[in-house]
Amino acid sequence: MEQNDYEELACQLRCPEGEKGEQVAEIMFESNCKMIFKTIDRLQIEDCDNILELGFGSGKHFPYLFQKAKNIHYCGLEISPLMIDFATKLNQDLIQRENISLKLSDNSSSLQLKNNSFKHCFSVNTVYFWEEPHKYLQEIYRILQTGGSLALSYIKEDFVLKQPFAKPEVFHFHRTDWLIRIMKNIGYSSVEQWQYIENTPNKLGENVVRPFIVLKGFK
Ligand SMILES: C[S@@+](CC[C@H](N)C(=O)[O-])C[C@H]1O[C@@H](n2cnc3c(N)ncnc32)[C@H](O)[C@@H]1O
């Protein structure tokens, strides 16, 4: 791959678009599905929970989420219109049967959602694209119900920095202890982190051993 290809891949990971965007969506799921499932597992979802996800990508994990409990209300926010179409087409049957709303968001940290309206929020592999993560964390806190939780997952910085597509113009890294401090300052309680190591294909199709973190806190 040439430098230009890596730059394009970085931009596609931030916001998939065009024909290549669909291929990238498939690759992202292959590479990230275990991470997504572990994050969902950490939420301890119960019947009738309202769940928000930021950056759902392909939406291939929706069936996994919906088998966790009955009558889940899911709202997914995406900045990529392509991912909204992709996930809608892929999950047509599920969308008819279940309560799923997929919305375009404007890449700003102000979420057009009501206060105290979600039991859980999760986001996997999007924090690198948040220039001001404290604003997102504050907004998520606002929309969570008391007792609700946020699970935020990301690949460890030292691993991602070795990937040729991790362009600093696109990817922003935030240290875990800093994210935890911000969460605690905002008011999140019982903030915990779990570190995992997984075997998975990376975005270039090579098998890698990759460390990732799930951070969780409660309102
Ligand atoms: C690297 S992909 C990760 C997708 C999926 N969560 C995964 O782990 O495979 C990042 C996704 O988040 C979306 N995204 C990036 N910034 C976002 C934001 N501020 N709000 C909502 N979605 C965002 C992108 O369009 C893209 O689909």
Side-chain angles (χ1 to χ4, degrees), residues 53 62 68 73 80 93 99 101 113 126 130 144 174-175:
E53 180 177 9
F62 294 173
K68 286 281 174 189
H73 292 237
S80 161
D93 292 348
N99 202 318
S101 133
L113 298 164
T126 57
W130 299 351
L144 279 178
H174 316 293
R175 287 178 40 176

Side-chain angles (χ1 to χ4, degrees), residues 138-190:
Q138 181 77 62
E139 269 294 85
I140 293 166
Y141 191 80
R142 178 183 68 74
I143 58 93
L144 279 178
Q145 297 161 3
T146 306
S149 70
L150 161 68
L152 189 67
S153 309
Y154 48 91
I155 300 161
K156 281 187 84 177
E157 173 179 357
D158 44 2
F159 180 90
V160 185
L161 282 175
K162 287 186 203 136
Q163 307 302 306
F165 55 81
K167 299 290 164 199
E169 309 80 43
V170 178
F171 284 78
H172 308 283
F173 290 101
H174 316 293
R175 287 178 40 176
T176 297
D177 55 353
W178 185 75
L179 288 170
I180 291 177
R181 206 165 55 240
I182 289 179
M183 285 176 73
K184 286 183 177 168
N185 282 345
I186 290 171
Y188 288 90
S189 60
S190 308

Side-chain angles (χ1 to χ4, degrees), residues 97-110:
R97 282 199 316 273
E98 303 282 1
N99 202 318
I100 298 180
S101 133
L102 306 181
K103 297 183 182 166
L104 191 61
S105 85
D106 62 0
N107 200 14
S108 87
S109 54
S110 79

Side-chain angles (χ1 to χ4, degrees), residues 13-16 28-29 32 36 53-57 77-80 83 105 107 124-126 129-130 136:
L13 293 170
R14 176 175 56 191
C15 182
M28 283 194 304
F29 186 75
N32 301 336
I36 299 172
E53 180 177 9
L54 302 184
F56 52 79
L77 296 185
E78 250 298 336
I79 60 165
S80 161
M83 288 302 95
S105 85
N107 200 14
V124 183
N125 288 313
T126 57
F129 311 115
W130 299 351
Y136 280 92

Side-chain angles (χ1 to χ4, degrees), residues 47-71:
D47 292 351
C48 305
D49 280 350
N50 264 352
I51 299 170
L52 173 69
E53 180 177 9
L54 302 184
F56 52 79
S58 71
K60 281 192 161 191
H61 56 295
F62 294 173
Y64 184 83
L65 176 73
F66 275 87
Q67 52 85 32
K68 286 281 174 189
K70 297 190 196 101
N71 275 325

